[in-house]
Amino acid sequence: MPSAASDLAVRRGLLHRGESVIIMVTSLLFTFAALTWGYRAKLACGGAPFDQFGRSARFPVGDPNAVIPCYSDLMFLWVGRDIDNHVFPYIHGGITEQGHLFGGVVEYPVLSGLLMWLGAIGQHTDLGFFMQTSLILTPFALVITILLAWMSRWWVLLWAATPALVLYAFHNWELPVVFTSVAAIAVMAWGASASRKTGQRRMSLRTSSIIASVLLAIGFSLKIYPGMFVLPLALYVLTHGELGRSAARRAYDWVGAAWVVVAAVVTTLVAQVPFMIAGYDGWKAALDFQGKRKADIDTNTFWYWGLRPLLNGNIDLYNSIVGVASTLLIILAVVAATYLAWRQYTIDGVFPWIGASFALLAGFMLFHKVHSPQYTLWVLPFFVLLRVPWPAIAVYLVTDVTLDLSIFRMFGYLATNRPTPWYIDAGVQLGVWCHAILLAYFLVTAARMQVREPLASFMRTALPPRPPLTRLADADSAAAWHWLGTPVLTRAGVTLRPLTVTDAPALAAIGGAEPELGRYVPAVPTDTEAALEWIRAAHDDRRRLPFAVIDDATGDLIGTTSYYDVDEPNLAVTIGYTYYASRVHGTVVNPAAKLMLLDYAFTQAGAVRVVWHTHEDNAHSRAAVTKLGATFEGLLRKHRRFGDGWRTTAQFSMTVDDWTQARADLVDRVDQLVAPA
């Protein structure tokens, strides 16, 4: 027959799995709702009539009164890159001297171009292209949610239930690249997590890091930025991951770090070389486009809103400065982020590769010539997985909404040659500058940010703490009432019922009238305020079940007693915190109360052991407990804090095996005390 402890373990396991299911289902429902909302908002851009290129007449303004601007790059890029002509990307194209792409070339790395081509298959309008591409992107969002839920529990809602997913899920091709970054972290976490069978890592550090590096290289061929994360990942492997300094003293793992880099390089070549061979000019045109791209009004950067006004309209000088400074500052940001992460390694003994990756991303986003609002999807997983301060997250997300609602409305005004209202300009600048300040903050501080649970425990091959709801359920499972309930017991004109705060005045009256009670019972309350605190403390102790002792004849409270140190796994309970008004001493009250408590514990609750603790010098109490049939087990020195010092406790116990005879004797005593004189 299973033990109570094993039963409790099973219940806790079921609770834990139940909460995991709740988290997963809830986050997926939020994700689905966000995707549906975002899809419908962007869908408003398209629709009949269409021109000869399949362009919707409503694009790019849509409904100017809509809460969310309709603009989407998924529709915009339908025309002008030969996507509408179903030309396979890069192979036949190039770039003009004016910087215009043609022949199927798009400005993104090759795998994004391939996704765009797939989204256009069989479609003949920008609306059809949008709808089919949205269908391709949706699974990436759902898988990201699943992975983040596994690694962060309820923190996944920062991804699934914030506006960014609504605004940007179907704005551009960000979801696949975000997936590669999140999946790389998840692979590292799963590889380091403890096996249920052995308690050891599921994969070696080298193996998991090589797989993660492959994923990051795939991300590099989608949108560049995940490729930067290979550097901190390699340094993490070089320094032996979570083993830290203890392993590093022997030697750095140069071989493991080299494998990480080689895996990324080989994967990148596998993705890029076929396009380079089949159409080098088209492949190179995408790189040339980024090199020639200007930091204009649609790039949302501090370069445009900060540097450009300082140069008094000298556009050539502005473009020259940005072209050089942007590249140099990104390089400096990489150096600074790596240095700060290494310095943190010298303090903690573990290289913070996830925090360092966030710092590198922040530096790239800050200094790059382009800062599109949808890049918020890039940083959201780091908000989920790292302990980023709440104010920074809140300000970033709020100003992101402001930027999105402003800049894409601005595009509508520019497309129709209408003057832009001042509040649109103000919203754009607020978003741009707040993001710039926060990205600089992340660049400097990300390496010090701790990883959230349970990801932190997974990475250490440790058992993660239970999730919040399960911890609450665990606390309830360990609470006295969970096993014993809250019974009302009556016998021989005495009732035991749960003690409540309304009993405070009566409880204080007993202590106030009889101060000698405090000699052996600690902290007996002598006024109502103290009695309230005493009752609150009794209820706050989850292993205690306090009772009021009531005289049935008068309805008066005549004392109190408790079950405490309740130990359900071992089916043991202690009786104590007992005192009565002096007028009932020597009457049936105490024997009747003990009979009810013992009978309920052994007969109803199934206890196998009941314990009493009395003051070493309390001869009266020791004699009374002995008379119940309890066995003296010894003295517990300095067992309880008592007043300003410590008391030695005399411990007595009774087992279920003793109870049959002890009960018969106690019933006889109670019957004799209530019999008519």
Side-chain angles (χ1 to χ4, degrees):
M1 181 177 177
S3 67
S6 64
D7 286 344
L8 184 60
V10 169
R11 290 202 301 271
R12 287 175 173 171
L14 291 173
L15 286 167
H16 181 90
R17 288 192 290 274
E19 180 167 4
S20 297
V21 171
I22 291 173
I23 293 171
M24 201 67 70
V25 171
T26 301
S27 58
L28 285 172
L29 287 174
F30 270 109
T31 302
F32 184 77
L35 295 176
T36 301
W37 188 2
Y39 175 80
R40 292 176 64 86
K42 302 301 181 184
L43 196 66
C45 262
F50 301 98
D51 63 17
Q52 68 271 27
F53 303 108
R55 168 68 77 202
S56 298
R58 304 180 66 194
F59 187 87
V61 178
D63 180 3
N65 298 315
V67 175
I68 299 176
C70 78
Y71 177 85
S72 168
D73 286 340
L74 269 61
M75 289 188 191
F76 173 74
L77 292 176
W78 170 254
V79 176
R81 304 291 191 273
D82 280 328
I83 294 174
D84 56 324
N85 295 320
H86 307 287
V87 176
F88 193 81
Y90 308 104
I91 306 303
H92 308 290
I95 188 171
T96 67
E97 292 184 0
Q98 292 75 30
H100 299 299
L101 298 172
F102 64 88
V105 178
V106 296
E107 56 263 55
Y108 303 122
V110 295
L111 295 185
S112 286
L114 193 59
L115 287 175
M116 297 165 73
W117 176 76
L118 291 172
I121 292 177
Q123 302 303 318
H124 303 287
T125 65
D126 56 0
L127 184 63
F129 176 53
F130 169 80
M131 296 171 68
Q132 185 161 296
T133 302
S134 298
L135 188 63
I136 293 173
L137 297 178
T138 294
F140 291 102
L142 298 175
V143 175
I144 291 168
T145 297
I146 292 171
L147 295 177
L148 290 177
W150 175 66
M151 291 188 287
S152 71
R153 294 179 177 144
W154 289 108
W155 290 101
V156 66
L157 295 181
L158 281 175
W159 163 265
T162 51
L165 199 58
V166 176
L167 298 175
Y168 308 125
F170 304 123
H171 181 91
N172 199 287
W173 287 263
E174 310 301 335
L175 291 174
V177 67
V178 174
F179 161 76
T180 62
S181 300
V182 173
I185 297 174
V187 165
M188 294 295 292
W190 189 85
S193 63
S195 167
R196 291 180 180 273
K197 295 182 179 179
T198 66
Q200 303 301 310
R201 289 180 60 104
R202 297 180 189 272
M203 286 192 294
S204 69
L205 177 60
R206 285 188 182 180
T207 301
S208 57
S209 61
I210 289 170
I211 297 173
S213 182
V214 169
L215 287 166
L216 293 174
I218 293 172
F220 174 80
S221 295
L222 284 163
K223 280 288 181 77
I224 301 296
Y225 83 84
M228 298 188 298
F229 302 164
V230 173
L231 172 60
L233 178 60
L235 292 174
Y236 181 73
V237 175
L238 177 71
T239 55
H240 301 274
E242 297 295 325
L243 294 177
R245 289 176 175 169
S246 60
R249 288 194 188 100
R250 295 195 295 269
Y252 289 123
D253 186 6
W254 292 104
V255 174
W259 271 112
V260 171
V261 175
V262 169
V265 171
V266 170
T267 303
T268 301
L269 291 176
V270 169
Q272 304 282 340
V273 167
F275 290 91
M276 296 171 65
I277 295 174
Y280 178 79
D281 290 339
W283 174 84
K284 185 174 180 296
L287 300 179
D288 293 339
F289 178 88
Q290 295 298 335
K292 294 180 179 181
R293 190 170 185 180
K294 306 297 189 294
D296 293 329
I297 189 172
D298 63 342
T299 59
N300 315 301
T301 63
F302 76 93
W303 296 113
Y304 181 86
W305 295 102
L307 176 63
R308 184 175 172 277
L310 297 177
L311 298 179
N312 298 319
N314 191 334
I315 302 302
D316 291 337
L317 178 60
Y318 165 72
N319 289 328
S320 298
I321 292 175
V322 172
V324 175
S326 174
T327 302
L328 289 178
L329 287 174
I330 289 174
I331 294 173
L332 288 175
V334 171
V335 173
T338 306
Y339 165 75
L340 291 171
W342 190 267
R343 188 175 69 175
Q344 196 64 31
Y345 160 68
T346 64
I347 297 171
D348 297 337
V350 177
F351 188 83
W353 82 276
I354 299 175
S357 298
F358 185 27
L360 290 175
L361 175 61
F364 178 77
M365 291 172 61
L366 175 62
F367 297 121
H368 190 40
K369 291 186 291 184
V370 179
H371 180 85
S372 295
Q374 70 267 17
Y375 293 172
T376 297
L377 291 180
W378 298 2
V379 303
L380 267 185
F382 291 103
F383 289 171
V384 173
L385 299 175
L386 293 172
R387 294 183 180 178
V388 181
W390 261 108
I393 295 175
V395 172
Y396 195 97
L397 294 180
V398 168
T399 54
D400 174 68
V401 173
T402 303
L403 179 60
D404 180 85
L405 299 184
S406 301
I407 190 67
F408 295 114
R409 280 195 167 83
M410 177 183 287
F411 290 169
Y413 283 99
L414 295 176
T416 55
N417 295 316
R418 293 177 295 160
T420 305
W422 68 269
Y423 55 85
I424 298 293
D425 287 334
V428 172
Q429 294 215 38
L430 177 66
V432 167
W433 286 107
C434 283
H435 279 196
I437 293 170
L438 285 171
L439 289 171
Y441 168 74
F442 297 147
L443 170 62
V444 174
T445 63
R448 299 198 303 270
M449 294 176 183
Q450 298 298 309
V451 179
R452 297 194 196 276
E453 293 288 0
L455 176 59
S457 292
F458 290 154
M459 298 296 289
R460 296 193 303 268
T461 318
L463 295 176
R466 298 179 184 277
L469 293 183
T470 306
R471 286 202 299 272
L472 290 174
D474 286 348
D476 283 346
S477 296
W481 60 263
H482 185 271
W483 172 30
L484 299 174
T486 53
V488 176
L489 310 173
T490 300
R491 191 180 186 106
V494 178
T495 293
L496 303 184
R497 62 160 173 78
L499 186 69
T500 69
V501 291
T502 59
D503 295 318
L507 199 64
I510 294 174
E514 303 172 42
E516 68 276 4
L517 290 173
R519 181 180 178 187
Y520 296 121
V521 180
V524 172
T526 57
D527 58 58
T528 300
E529 183 177 353
L532 282 169
E533 289 302 317
W534 197 89
I535 295 170
R536 289 192 188 103
H539 285 284
D540 287 343
D541 184 349
R542 303 186 69 81
R543 299 181 64 199
R544 182 174 170 188
L545 194 64
F547 292 93
V549 182
I550 306 298
D551 181 348
D552 290 347
T554 63
D556 294 338
L557 183 143
I558 53 177
T560 183
T561 189
S562 295
Y563 288 130
Y564 71 101
D565 284 353
V566 174
D567 184 1
E568 181 184 3
N570 294 305
L571 300 178
V573 64
T574 303
I575 295 174
Y577 290 98
T578 303
Y579 65 90
Y580 304 102
S582 59
R583 65 183 176 83
V584 300
H585 290 181
T587 69
V588 73
V589 172
N590 187 51
K594 292 298 188 292
L595 175 58
M596 289 186 281
L597 291 173
L598 289 166
D599 216 19
Y600 185 81
F602 285 126
T603 306
Q604 301 298 319
V608 298
R609 172 180 166 87
V610 173
V611 176
W612 289 265
H613 294 136
T614 72
H615 196 291
E616 178 188 22
D617 299 330
N618 191 346
H620 177 76
S621 179
R622 293 179 64 170
V625 173
T626 302
K627 197 172 182 179
L628 292 173
T631 300
F632 175 64
E633 293 186 327
L635 298 177
L636 307 177
R637 295 183 299 166
K638 292 189 175 180
H639 180 235
R640 288 282 191 268
R641 187 184 293 276
F642 195 90
D644 295 331
W646 295 87
R647 84 173 189 185
T648 296
T649 295
Q651 178 166 298
F652 296 80
S653 73
M654 180 185 294
T655 69
V656 67
D657 300 326
D658 306 325
W659 177 233
T660 300
Q661 182 58 49
R663 184 182 188 281
D665 294 341
L666 189 52
V667 168
D668 287 343
R669 283 181 56 200
V670 171
D671 289 345
Q672 290 172 10
L673 288 170
V674 297

